[in-house]
Amino acid sequence: MSVSSTALFILMLAFAAVVGPPAASSVATWWSIRLRRWSSSVREAWARFVAWLREALLRFLNGGDGK
């Protein structure tokens, strides 16, 4: 049995139309979750850095840490 290339092309397009959107949606959801987690981690790291910098600046302005 021989299948023409046009028929194969139409079958591939139909398959992509059925499978593509859910797959793209799940990939977008996955990236959304990853970016949200990454953003949260960056925010926490930035808050720790700012707190450390504030503490260092206050120690400097108060004349050192007493050593």
Side-chain angles (χ1 to χ4, degrees):
M1 182 172 139
S2 176
V3 180
S4 70
S5 60
T6 305
L8 283 176
F9 182 70
I10 291 171
L11 284 173
M12 287 190 326
L13 283 179
F15 182 75
V18 170
V19 174
S25 176
S26 65
V27 168
T29 301
W30 183 84
W31 273 110
S32 173
I33 291 168
R34 292 284 171 239
L35 289 175
R36 196 177 314 126
R37 288 181 183 169
W38 182 78
S39 176
S40 174
S41 298
V42 169
R43 201 176 313 118
E44 290 170 6
W46 181 251
R48 283 194 304 270
F49 174 72
V50 168
W52 173 83
L53 191 61
R54 183 182 301 126
E55 186 179 316
L57 183 61
L58 285 174
R59 269 197 317 265
F60 175 76
L61 292 175
N62 289 331
D65 54 2
K67 290 184 179 176

